[in-house]
Amino acid sequence: TLVELFGDFFGGSLSSLLNNSQVTSAFILTWLPLVLCGVAIVKFISGTTQFYLWEKISELMAVDIRQNVVDSYLSMRSSTKKSESNKQYEAQLSSVISTDTKLMREYIAHFYGGMPREACHIIFLATTLVILSSKLFILFFFALLPICIVIANLGKKIQRRATLALDNYSQLTEW
């Protein structure tokens, strides 16, 4: 029976959903691989589509950012372009057009592109953990909070150092 296979909560839910408390192991062994293959195919297609769309969106944003930077530089008065403060601006301009825009594009594509997929994984794993053991889920959740705080602090430090590295890189590209 489903209750014997999946436990009282999950098996009982499946039994009431299928209106059949007696499911043979042959039935499960026949349909479970097909269902798993179907889920894998859907996951592959949705992941590929999501990756393509986020890459396209991030590339369009990078093109817009580059165009805005160039347009703002070209719209400057020629007297402003000849000033001493503008020499530093020109040095940073090449860095913004090339490296900074590329980094922003990659960040948008890979961080925000992977966020929906990772959120689905987290929800699925948390649901599975609640089904298996609610006490273990509560323990895991409260252990996860300090880890998130530590990672957030490390992220802020890494962000500061990355900003300094980008500044140094823009000065290096100037030379």
Side-chain angles (χ1 to χ4, degrees):
T1 66
L2 290 175
V3 174
E4 292 171 352
L5 288 173
F6 299 110
D8 292 332
F9 176 75
F10 197 60
S13 301
L14 282 175
S15 294
S16 64
L17 183 68
L18 296 174
N19 288 330
N20 186 4
S21 62
Q22 299 295 324
V23 176
T24 64
S25 60
F27 176 79
I28 292 174
L29 291 175
T30 303
W31 287 100
L32 187 62
L34 296 175
V35 169
L36 291 177
C37 287
V39 168
I41 289 170
V42 168
K43 182 180 175 185
F44 170 75
I45 291 171
S46 64
T48 304
T49 305
Q50 177 186 1
F51 178 76
Y52 172 76
L53 291 175
W54 277 106
E55 284 289 329
K56 185 175 180 177
I57 289 169
S58 63
E59 189 59 40
L60 291 174
M61 289 178 71
V63 167
D64 286 345
I65 291 170
R66 286 185 188 113
Q67 189 63 44
N68 290 340
V69 169
V70 170
D71 288 345
S72 68
Y73 179 73
L74 292 176
S75 67
M76 291 173 67
R77 285 183 262 141
S78 61
S79 61
T80 308
K81 289 180 183 176
K82 294 178 183 177
S83 68
E84 286 295 321
S85 64
N86 191 50
K87 289 182 181 179
Q88 184 180 9
Y89 177 73
E90 285 179 354
Q92 292 177 350
L93 184 63
S94 66
S95 175
V96 167
I97 289 176
S98 60
T99 309
D100 294 353
T101 306
K102 179 184 171 194
L103 288 173
M104 283 189 288
R105 187 192 74 75
E106 289 176 2
Y107 181 76
I108 289 168
H110 298 292
F111 180 73
Y112 288 112
M115 189 181 291
R117 179 181 62 247
E118 298 303 323
C120 288
H121 284 167
I122 290 170
I123 291 169
F124 175 74
L125 292 174
T127 305
T128 305
L129 194 57
V130 167
I131 289 171
L132 293 175
S133 171
S134 58
K135 291 177 185 176
L136 186 60
F137 173 75
I138 292 170
L139 179 68
F140 174 73
F141 182 74
F142 284 117
L144 194 63
L145 289 176
I147 293 171
C148 290
I149 292 170
V150 169
I151 289 176
N153 289 333
L154 287 174
K156 289 177 185 176
K157 289 180 183 179
I158 290 172
Q159 183 180 11
R160 277 186 249 127
R161 291 190 181 183
T163 303
L164 289 173
L166 283 175
D167 289 341
N168 291 336
Y169 187 76
S170 67
Q171 290 175 2
L172 182 65
T173 57
E174 173 186 359
W175 293 101

